[in-house]
């Protein structure tokens, strides 16, 4: 008898006792692995502890599957290229192995990630760069064959190098504890790369991202440089990659100091990166290291790199000198062109002396004096004196300039470390969220370093003033102040203004340097927030701009926070909350995170909040709202639960005016005209707010255009109008009016499949339909959103209309009232709504009969709970 | 497009990497990059592709390759006899997953989710952890799991159900 025979199915592991009903049921679900979705649907309709238990288990199952990642389906073709495999993935996109049938050749097809290729301006710039790069033909440059766009993807086809990139060689060698190449061999091979750089530099093309990952090794050992010039259009500057999440140091390792300082790059910058690449190839480690991004940046700007012969004592002395020259902090002290470098590298390979070993002027003078002691003695003395004086004067000025540059470097470090003034353009955030935010004080150290730099570098005062202006966020102020536009809900205008300014900067070539980077950061961030405003409602475009803003200032808090929220719209709320808690490091950041979360959840945002509506499930919204209120405590700036906010509040007020003053034709006409103007000028077609056009059309505005108002938008607009009417249920006009629109709105609701449509249908039926129609509609809503207090309140209203005839009816009524209050963010408000329903009913029937004792008991229950 | 080892590998890449990451545990991840392990699995997949008899079994086959590779690495790197890597008790660290293919926030999300799952799995009873790893991460059939754990298929389903309940409690679902 085996253990299996002894252990019965009911006691799988001998522990925990016999299997419960839930255990058996779960086992059956697992046995039918593909039926979990249906099982979930069934369980959600049950109201039992067992169902809750099983749903928890299914959530755990789903979480595991989600964490493990999904299958990734490769495209079969892009343009004329047939995809046959993946060669690699990088920050910019994926490189596929592909076949070009028309030319019968295998290529490496690099497809840019959607976040780079979805922007029209980016695509234009990419084409320009790809065209220039494609014109270069050099044996040490991986040629670009073609470039283009297909199916929304931007791609370029390169020669398929049947080898691997140098970083793989370095990794393998590092595991074996050494360098990847013999020094003289390396010198010979890298001479070709240096020559390739010289070739490109003569054509005014910089690489800007020389690193082992971009150096391909042919099967015969020849090195070839890939991805030429393509990082330029991304403004891919290493310090912009600084993140506080694990500190992604990759690109910073190979970047020259001037790039980290945000200064303009030149050929010497590429040669610096080549020097780092050579060092790492020979030694297996980098010449400059840091455990954190900040340490790395500091080392890059202020510490001397390790000498080659310190790590490899037997390396040729001349190679040590060459690399030392390449790694000079000041680009003026490096090789100025690749050709000279290539020649010196070939001399190293041939064991000949390199040319950069020159004797000093004093050395030459000494030798001459030795040859002619009498004739040159006095002249020599004078020359020495003059030389000493000249050197002393030069050292004074060099010292001042050096200190000035140091101050500038320090300012860059401060800015890189500081998280984008915490909030970036806080006036924009104020406007988006509708709440006052304390202005963050400028970093005094940054300003101090700038002042120091200005005193020492008088010829750069214009540049320094640009830094200050950028730091202040001047790019966002002026006559077209974007914050003012957003305060009025004019997200569209902000998008246009920001786009125009970004384009102007790129067209003028004014995208280099620290000041430009800060300006771009502010503009991308402002535009992202405008995309997230209700009048635009384009979260994908916002995510793209937030990514670009992160590029500009890697440690900036606000882009990361906003992106976390956008990701959170699709994933687990628990996960979102944990992420937000980790991101917010101090009290101010926690306040911003809390207030953003409150707005994002959308249950009770401030009245002037312009953030778009995210279609989250009600229970998720409530969970997020409750957590936000816990974080914020008394500091929470909140509005009335479920009241319209921002631009929608304006539209709702105009609708209310039409309802309230329906007999006053000029007032009604003016309200219609104002609504038309708001919708035409400020609300983009993709925004749900467009649905209010349908609402005003229903109110009688025949001039209101319904172009671009699809079914979903109509449902949204209709639901908004119903809310306006419901708030006015104390006025007879309200119910009568709603009854009149009942059929039209019901048709709209039935046409859509969304939760909002179910809710609208249920609301209408509960207020004005018969019980026979209302009850199933409201139950349908409760099935979809069991935790929505309005669904419970709706059932309450439905039952009240039906009439309370027995204790059993009262019990049902009380249950729904309690559910509504328990699930509501503001229980008092929902209680008042239900009391209002009782009042309305009493007003309608009161003349015929007093309120029944049972309803009086219900009223006392609600009033007692604070309604 | 017929199934090639490259395509099969890329299709299941995310899953394999997550499995490797979890199986390695924090101790081993200090010594080796999970991406390096993944690349070695890729090389083996290419080299031994001819032994795969049915394309529909590609995922299971890749998972088996990855498990064997991990067992060898444990033997070589940790210097112990080839124990079952599932029995390794992980020590908590804050090392990030070195996924250089993602942007900043994606790395944070991915790492956070994996760490969350790993933490919760570590709190489970060994048999609960094992059945989850085998069933949901290595995608073994109930029959194969039963053979490993000396249980019937029904008992495996029951055990998995209880394990998920326990996991849900730790994940606070």
């Amino acid at each position: 008898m085996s253990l299996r025979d002894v252990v019965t199915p009911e006691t799988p592991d001998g522990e925990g006792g016999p299997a419960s009903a839930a255990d058996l049921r779960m086992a059956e679900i697992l046995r039918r692995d593909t039926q979990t979705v249906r099982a979930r649907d069934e369980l959600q309709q049950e109201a039992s502890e067992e169902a809750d238990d099983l749903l928890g288990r299914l959530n755990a199952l789903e979480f595991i599957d989600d964490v493990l990642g999904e299958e990734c389906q490769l495209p079969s073709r892009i343009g004329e290229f047939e995809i046959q495999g993946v060669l690699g993935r990088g920050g910019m996109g994926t490189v596929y192995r592909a076949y070009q049938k028309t030319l019968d050749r295998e290529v490496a097809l690099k497809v840019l990630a959607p976040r780079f290729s979805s922007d029209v301006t980016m695509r234009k710039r990419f084409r320009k760069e790809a065209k220039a790069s494609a014109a270069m033909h050099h044996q040490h440059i991986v040629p670009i064959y073609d470039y283009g766009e297909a199916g929304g993807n931007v791609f370029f086809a390169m020669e398929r190098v049947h080898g691997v990139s140098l970083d793989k060689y370095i990794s393998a060698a590092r595991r074996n504890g050494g360098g990847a190449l013999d020094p003289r061999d390396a010198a010979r091979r890298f001479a070709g790369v240096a020559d390739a750089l010289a070739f490109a530099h003569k054509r005014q093309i910089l690489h800007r991202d020389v690193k082992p990952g971009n150096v391909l090794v042919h099967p015969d050992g020849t090195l070839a440089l890939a991805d030429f010039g393509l990082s330029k259009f991304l403004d891919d500057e290493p310090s912009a990659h600084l993140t506080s999440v694990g500190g992604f140091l990759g690109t910073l390792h190979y970047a020259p100091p001037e790039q980290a300082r945000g200064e303009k790059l030149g050929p010497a910058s590429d040669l610096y990166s080549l020097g780092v690449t050579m060092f790492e190839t020979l030694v297996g480690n980098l010449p400059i290291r840091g455990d954190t991004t900040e340490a790395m940046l500091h080392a890059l700007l202020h510490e001397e790199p390790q000498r080659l012969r310190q790590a490899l004592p037997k390396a040729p002395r001349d190679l040590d000198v060459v690399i030392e020259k390449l790694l000079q902090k000041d680009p003026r002290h490096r090789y100025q062109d690749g050709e000279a470098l290539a020649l010196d590298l070939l001399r190293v390979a041939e064991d000949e002396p390199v040319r950069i070993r020159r004797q000093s002027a004093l050395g030459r003078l000494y030798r001459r004096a030795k040859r002619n002691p009498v004739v040159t003695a006095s002249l020599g003395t004078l020359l020495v004196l003059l030389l000493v004086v000249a050197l002393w004067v030069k050292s004074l000025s060099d010292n001042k300039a050096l200190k000035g540059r140091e101050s500038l470097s320090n300012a860059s470090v401060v800015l890189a470390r500081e998280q984008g003034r915490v909030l970036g353009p806080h006036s924009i955030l104020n406007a988006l969220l509708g709440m006052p935010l304390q202005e963050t004080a400028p970093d005094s150290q940054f300003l101090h370093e700038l002042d120091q730099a200005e005193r020492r570098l008088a010829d750069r005062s214009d540049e320094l003033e640009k830094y200050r202006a950028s730091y202040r966020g001047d790019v966002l102020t002026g006559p077209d102040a974007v914050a003012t536009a957003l305060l009025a809900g004019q997200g569209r205008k902000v998008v246009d203004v920001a786009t125009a300014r970004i384009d102007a900067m790129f067209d003028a070539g004014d995208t280099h340097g620290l000041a430009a980077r800060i300006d771009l950061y502010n503009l991308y961030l402002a535009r992202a927030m405008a995309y997230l405003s209700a009048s635009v409602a384009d979260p994908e475009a916002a995510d793209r701009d937030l990514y670009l803003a992160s590029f500009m200032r890697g440690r900036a808090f606000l882009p990361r926070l906003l992106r976390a929220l956008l990701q959170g719209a699709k994933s687990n709320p628990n996960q979102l909350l944990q992420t937000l808690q980790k991101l917010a490091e101090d009290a101010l950041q926690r306040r911003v995170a809390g207030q953003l979360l409150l707005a994002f959840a959308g249950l009770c945002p401030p009245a002037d909040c312009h953030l778009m509506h995210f279609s989250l499930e009600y229970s998720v919204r409530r969970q997020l709202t409750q957590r936000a209120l816990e974080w914020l405590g008394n500091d929470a700036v909140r509005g009335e639960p479920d009241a319209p906010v921002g631009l929608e509040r304006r539209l709702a007020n105009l609708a209310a005016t039409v309802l309230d003053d329906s007999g006053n034709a000029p007032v009604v006409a003016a309200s219609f005209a104002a609504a038309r103007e708001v919708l035409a000028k400020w609300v983009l077609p993709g925004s749900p707010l467009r649905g209010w056009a349908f609402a005003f059309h229903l109110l009688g505005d025949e001039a209101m255009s319904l172009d671009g108002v699809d079914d979903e938008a109509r449902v949204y607009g209709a639901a908004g109008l119903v809310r306006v009417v419901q708030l006015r249920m104390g006025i007879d006009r309200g119910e009568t009016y709603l009854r009149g629109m009942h059929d039209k709105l019901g048709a709209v609701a039935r046409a859509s499949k969304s939760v909002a449509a179910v809710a609208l249908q249920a609301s209408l039926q509960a207020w004005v339909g018969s019980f026979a129609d209302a009850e199933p509609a409201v139950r349908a809503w409760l099935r979809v959103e069991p935790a929505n207090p309005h669904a419970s309140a709706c059932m309450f209203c439905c039952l009240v209309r039906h009439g309370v005839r027995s204790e059993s009816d009262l019990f049902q009524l009380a249950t729904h009232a309690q559910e509504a209050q328990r699930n509501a963010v503001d229980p008092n408000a929902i209680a008042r709504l239900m009391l209002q329903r009782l009042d309305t009913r009493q007003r309608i029937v009161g003349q015929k009969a007093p309120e029944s004792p049972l309803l009086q008991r219900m009223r006392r229950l609600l009033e007692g709970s604070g309604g | 497009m017929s199934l090639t080892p490259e395509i099969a590998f890329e299709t299941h890449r995310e899953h394999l990497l997550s499995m490797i990451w979890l199986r390695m545990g924090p101790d081993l991840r200090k010594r080796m990059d999970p991406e390096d392990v993944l690349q070695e699995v890729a090389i083996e997949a290419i080299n031994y592709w001819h032994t795969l008899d049915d394309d529909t079994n590609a995922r299971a086959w890749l998972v088996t390759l990855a498990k064997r590779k991990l067992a060898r690495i444990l033997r070589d790197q940790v210097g112990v006899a080839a124990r079952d890597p599932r029995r390794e008790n992980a020590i908590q660290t804050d090392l990030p997953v070195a996924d250089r293919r993602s942007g900043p926030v994606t790395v944070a999300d991915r790492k956070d989710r994996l760490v969350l799952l790993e933490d919760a799995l570590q709190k489970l009873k060994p048999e609960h952890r094992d059945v989850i790893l085998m069933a949901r991460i290595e995608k073994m059939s109930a029959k194969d799991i039963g053979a490993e754990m000396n249980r019937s298929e029904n008992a495996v389903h029951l055990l998995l159900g209880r394990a998920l309940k326990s996991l849900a409690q730790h994940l606070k679902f």
Side-chain angles (χ1 to χ4, degrees):
Chain A
M1 179 181 281
S2 71
L3 184 62
R4 190 182 301 188
D5 294 331
V6 171
V7 174
T8 68
E10 286 74 30
T11 56
D13 50 8
E15 56 87 33
S20 65
D23 286 342
L24 292 169
R25 209 169 153 192
M26 188 68 198
E28 185 57 25
I29 292 171
L30 290 168
R31 197 179 62 75
R32 294 180 287 140
D33 191 34
T34 55
Q35 304 291 323
T36 51
V37 172
R38 195 202 295 180
R40 178 182 285 280
D41 286 346
E42 287 167 1
L43 287 167
Q44 276 172 340
Q45 293 182 28
E46 290 179 33
S48 64
E49 279 187 23
E50 184 180 297
D52 284 346
D53 174 7
L54 291 167
L55 281 169
R57 301 187 204 202
L58 284 176
N59 286 343
L61 193 70
E62 200 177 285
F63 181 74
I64 295 170
D65 290 343
D66 180 55
V67 167
L68 290 181
E70 295 171 356
E71 292 183 6
C72 166
Q73 297 301 330
L74 301 185
S76 59
R77 120 179 274 111
I78 294 174
E80 60 164 319
F81 299 95
E82 183 191 327
I83 304 302
Q84 295 180 330
V86 175
L87 293 171
R89 286 188 175 86
M92 280 168 55
T94 306
V95 183
Y96 295 106
R97 188 163 61 82
Y99 173 67
Q100 188 177 16
K101 194 172 177 184
T102 47
L103 291 175
D104 190 25
R105 65 182 173 187
E106 205 178 48
V107 303
L109 194 75
K110 185 152 190 171
V111 181
L112 292 196
R115 61 177 170 271
F116 299 128
S117 55
S118 56
D119 186 293
V120 168
T121 315
M122 287 273 184
R123 289 206 296 274
K124 209 190 308 182
R125 289 194 191 103
F126 163 72
R127 276 199 290 279
K128 190 176 158 192
E129 286 298 323
K131 194 174 170 187
S133 301
M136 290 199 296
H137 301 284
H138 188 282
Q139 76 173 120
H140 294 284
I141 294 177
V142 177
I144 292 179
Y145 292 145
D146 198 5
Y147 56 90
E149 298 177 39
N153 293 308
V154 176
F155 66 85
F156 58 95
M158 308 181 281
E159 179 191 17
R160 164 94 163 95
V161 173
H162 289 271
V164 294
S165 53
L166 190 59
D167 59 339
K168 302 285 190 301
Y169 276 87
I170 293 172
S171 298
R174 190 183 294 131
R175 281 199 286 274
N176 294 329
L181 289 173
D182 166 76
R184 291 197 198 281
D185 191 18
R188 187 186 312 279
R189 297 191 205 203
F190 275 106
V193 178
D195 193 55
L197 283 172
F199 180 84
H201 293 161
K202 282 190 180 110
R203 285 149 183 80
Q204 312 305 315
I205 293 176
L206 290 181
H207 190 287
R208 297 167 67 100
D209 197 18
V210 176
K211 60 183 181 185
N214 283 337
V215 177
L216 300 182
V217 185
H218 282 276
D220 66 355
T222 312
L223 303 182
L225 206 42
D227 281 5
F228 237 100
L230 290 159
S231 61
K232 183 178 175 187
F233 80 102
L234 294 172
D235 269 336
D236 190 8
E237 304 200 27
S239 57
H241 284 273
L242 302 180
T243 74
S244 64
V245 181
F248 179 60
L249 306 177
T251 46
L252 192 57
H253 290 161
Y254 307 98
E258 61 270 23
Q259 194 165 6
R261 284 193 295 263
E263 295 169 7
K264 197 167 175 177
L265 305 186
S269 310
D270 273 350
L271 298 180
Y272 176 98
S273 303
L274 185 61
V276 177
T277 301
M278 286 173 56
F279 187 102
E280 193 183 20
T281 303
L282 293 165
V283 174
N285 283 317
L286 293 159
I288 291 174
R289 290 186 286 277
D291 290 332
T292 63
T293 306
E294 200 175 321
M296 182 65 210
L297 190 60
H298 185 268
L300 177 64
L301 293 174
H302 300 297
E303 291 175 13
E304 288 304 310
Q306 189 182 20
R307 294 289 296 264
L308 178 65
R309 281 167 66 86
Q310 283 174 319
L312 277 183
K314 292 188 180 168
R317 196 177 295 274
D318 278 358
L319 187 56
D320 177 68
V321 169
V322 166
I323 291 182
E324 187 204 3
K325 188 170 173 66
L326 284 172
L327 299 184
Q328 290 293 307
K329 303 274 185 228
D330 189 341
R332 294 174 302 178
H333 297 160
R334 299 177 204 146
Y335 282 95
Q336 294 303 303
D337 69 84
E339 197 172 350
L341 171 62
L343 288 171
D344 265 351
L345 285 172
L346 285 173
R347 289 184 185 105
V348 169
E350 299 300 323
D351 206 12
E352 288 178 5
V354 293
R355 292 291 168 90
I356 56 169
R357 275 189 173 281
R358 292 184 185 282
Q359 289 176 338
S360 65
L362 278 174
R364 287 199 292 276
L365 187 62
Y366 172 70
R367 284 187 185 76
R368 191 170 299 158
K370 269 175 60 176
R371 288 197 293 274
N372 297 290
V374 173
V375 172
T376 60
S378 53
L379 188 59
T381 306
L382 180 63
L383 281 174
V384 165
L385 269 174
L386 284 173
L387 186 64
V388 165
V389 168
L391 283 173
W392 178 71
V393 168
K394 185 170 185 300
S395 79
L396 278 181
S397 124
D398 277 356
N399 198 37
K400 189 175 176 187
L402 184 66
K403 282 195 181 305
R405 282 198 296 278
E406 271 183 15
S407 295
L408 215 52
S409 299
N410 291 342
S412 303
V413 171
V414 169
L415 259 183
R417 191 172 56 221
E418 178 247 51
Q419 296 177 337
R421 292 194 70 203
V422 182
L423 305 172
H426 75 282
S427 57
I428 304 281
L429 187 63
N430 282 0
L432 185 70
L433 297 187
M435 55 171 269
L437 263 175
Q438 180 189 345
E439 165 114 28
T440 51
D443 192 303
S444 55
Q445 191 182 353
F446 171 71
L447 296 177
H448 169 73
E449 295 293 349
L450 270 194
D451 287 341
Q452 295 281 80
E454 193 163 28
R455 271 201 289 281
R456 291 161 180 154
L457 300 170
D459 57 339
R460 293 172 77 170
S461 56
D462 285 348
E463 181 187 339
L464 296 169
E465 181 47 39
K466 274 176 79 175
Y467 281 15
R468 285 200 187 85
S470 297
Y471 190 67
R472 281 194 303 262
D474 283 3
V475 74
L476 297 172
T477 58
D480 291 324
V482 294
T484 309
L486 201 52
L487 264 173
Q490 297 164 0
R492 185 182 197 171
K493 180 175 178 181
V494 177
V495 170
D496 291 342
V497 167
T499 302
R501 289 187 184 167
I502 291 168
D503 282 349
M505 286 181 71
F506 276 99
D507 289 339
D510 182 22
T511 55
H512 304 293
L514 190 59
R517 205 162 68 239
I518 299 170
D519 284 345
L520 281 171
Y521 166 81
N522 283 330
L523 287 168
Y524 283 133
L525 192 54
R527 194 168 68 175
M529 289 199 274
Y531 277 130
L532 290 176
S533 66
S535 60
V536 180
D538 189 346
E540 283 182 8
D543 189 58
R544 190 176 61 236
D545 274 348
L546 291 168
Y547 185 86
L548 291 169
S550 298
F551 249 51
M552 298 299 137
R553 300 191 75 180
R555 297 201 69 206
F557 165 71
L558 197 48
R560 288 187 288 140
L561 178 65
L562 288 167
R563 289 197 84 201
L565 282 173
L566 293 180
Q567 291 290 324
K570 305 166 206 161
S571 69
N572 187 316
N574 289 327
Q575 196 53 48
L576 170 62
L577 292 172
Q578 284 183 8
T579 303
L580 292 183
Q581 202 142 24
K582 279 183 191 162
L583 279 174
E585 292 174 353
D586 59 37
L588 179 56
Q589 287 182 350
R590 275 193 291 277
R591 180 154 180 250
V592 171
Q595 203 62 44
L596 254 174
L597 187 64
L598 197 65
F600 175 71
L603 279 187
C604 54
D608 293 320
C609 178
H610 289 289
L611 190 65
M612 62 179 274
H613 176 75
F614 294 90
S615 303
L616 304 174
E617 208 182 272
Y618 189 88
S619 56
V620 171
R621 295 166 73 198
R622 187 166 65 99
Q623 183 183 0
L624 299 180
T625 300
Q626 282 171 338
R627 184 64 67 88
L629 293 175
E630 278 169 33
W631 287 349
L632 292 166
N634 293 334
D635 287 341
V637 177
R638 53 190 281 191
E640 287 295 314
D642 297 305
V645 298
L647 205 57
E648 186 159 32
R649 187 173 62 140
R650 190 163 164 204
L651 291 166
N653 286 342
L654 288 168
T657 304
V658 169
L659 284 170
D660 294 345
D661 291 314
S662 57
N664 189 335
V667 167
V668 168
S671 301
F672 281 156
R676 278 199 296 277
E677 187 187 357
V678 166
L679 288 166
K681 258 175 104 172
W682 305 122
V683 178
L684 285 175
S687 164
L689 285 183
R690 283 293 299 162
W692 277 90
F694 179 63
F696 283 97
H697 177 77
L698 287 173
L699 284 171
D701 185 355
E702 290 169 357
M704 181 61 76
S705 163
L706 293 180
D707 288 343
V709 183
D710 61 19
D711 286 345
E712 283 302 317
R714 286 178 192 226
V715 167
Y716 184 92
L721 183 59
V722 165
R723 277 206 309 277
V724 170
V725 172
Q726 284 173 342
L727 284 170
R728 277 154 172 70
M729 291 304 282
I731 307 170
D732 283 341
R733 172 81 171 93
E735 182 161 339
T736 308
Y737 192 84
L738 199 60
R739 196 182 290 281
M741 288 197 296
H742 172 258
D743 289 342
K744 285 188 214 172
L745 293 181
V748 168
R750 280 189 297 276
S752 167
K753 301 282 181 290
S754 66
V755 173
V758 173
L760 174 62
Q761 180 70 359
S763 299
L764 287 171
Q765 295 291 8
W767 284 105
V768 300
S770 68
F771 183 72
D773 290 330
E775 206 245 352
V778 180
R779 289 217 182 274
W781 186 11
L782 273 170
R783 272 198 299 277
V784 172
E785 288 198 307
N788 191 329
H790 294 285
S792 302
C794 206
M795 182 56 94
F796 177 93
C797 298
C798 184
L799 292 171
V800 164
R801 287 195 69 237
H802 177 56
V804 178
R805 300 180 185 86
S806 67
E807 290 284 342
S808 168
D809 287 341
L810 179 65
F811 180 74
Q812 269 204 65
L813 213 59
T815 303
H816 286 294
Q818 280 166 358
E819 278 293 309
Q821 288 179 286
R822 191 173 68 198
N823 289 328
V825 170
D826 186 343
N828 293 342
I830 208 91
R832 281 195 297 275
L833 187 71
M834 290 186 281
L835 276 169
Q836 197 179 41
R837 182 69 238 177
L838 288 174
D839 288 342
T840 303
R841 175 179 168 76
Q842 192 51 35
R843 200 169 41 252
I844 292 169
V845 303
Q847 291 168 357
K848 296 177 193 166
E851 192 168 62
S852 71
L854 289 172
L855 280 178
Q856 286 175 7
R857 276 179 61 190
M858 189 68 247
R859 182 183 293 278
R860 283 197 293 277
L861 265 170
L862 284 170
E863 286 168 350
S865 65
Chain B
M1 186 164 58
S2 63
L3 191 63
T4 63
E6 292 95 340
I7 288 169
F9 180 80
E10 286 304 323
T11 302
H12 302 292
R13 186 187 183 282
E14 292 284 343
H15 182 97
L16 287 171
L17 183 60
S18 300
M19 189 200 95
I20 289 168
W21 195 90
L22 282 166
R23 283 299 197 193
M24 283 175 78
D27 255 357
L28 194 53
R29 289 198 301 268
K30 282 183 198 171
R31 302 166 203 255
M32 270 198 86
D33 188 336
E35 294 259 7
D36 287 344
V37 176
L38 186 69
Q39 283 166 18
E40 293 191 22
V41 173
I43 291 166
E44 290 217 0
I46 293 167
N47 288 338
Y48 292 105
W49 185 251
H50 61 277
T51 66
L52 175 64
D53 52 358
D54 184 351
D55 287 358
T56 57
N57 293 334
R59 181 174 62 186
W61 184 78
L62 287 168
V63 165
T64 306
L65 279 186
K67 281 166 67 175
R68 282 193 205 142
K69 176 60 64 178
L70 278 168
R72 277 202 290 278
I73 286 167
L74 266 173
R75 194 176 55 231
D76 296 345
Q77 292 280 335
V78 180
V80 295
R83 320 201 272 268
D84 185 345
R86 291 167 301 181
R87 307 248 180 244
E88 284 292 307
N89 288 321
I91 300 166
Q92 307 302 314
T93 72
D94 287 328
L95 286 177
V97 175
D99 184 355
R100 298 185 186 85
R101 290 169 170 79
S102 307
V105 175
T106 313
V107 168
D109 288 350
R110 186 183 169 78
K111 170 234 174 178
D112 284 350
R113 287 200 302 270
L114 276 167
V115 167
L116 198 67
L117 179 59
E118 188 179 51
D119 286 352
L121 284 172
Q122 290 308 316
K123 289 171 185 157
L124 299 182
K125 292 178 187 175
E127 59 270 28
H128 283 176
R129 186 168 57 245
D130 287 347
V131 74
I132 286 178
L133 286 172
M134 282 191 276
R136 302 312 296 188
I137 291 167
E138 291 165 17
K139 303 287 186 184
M140 290 168 65
S141 67
K143 185 179 168 191
D144 289 342
I145 297 172
E148 284 265 354
M149 299 183 88
N150 203 16
R151 296 175 197 274
S152 67
E153 284 186 53
N154 281 344
V156 166
H157 288 306
L158 274 166
L159 182 65
L160 180 60
R162 281 184 171 176
L164 287 171
K165 178 174 180 172
S166 185
L167 185 69
Q169 283 162 353
H170 288 300
L171 289 170
K172 296 182 176 39
F173 282 143

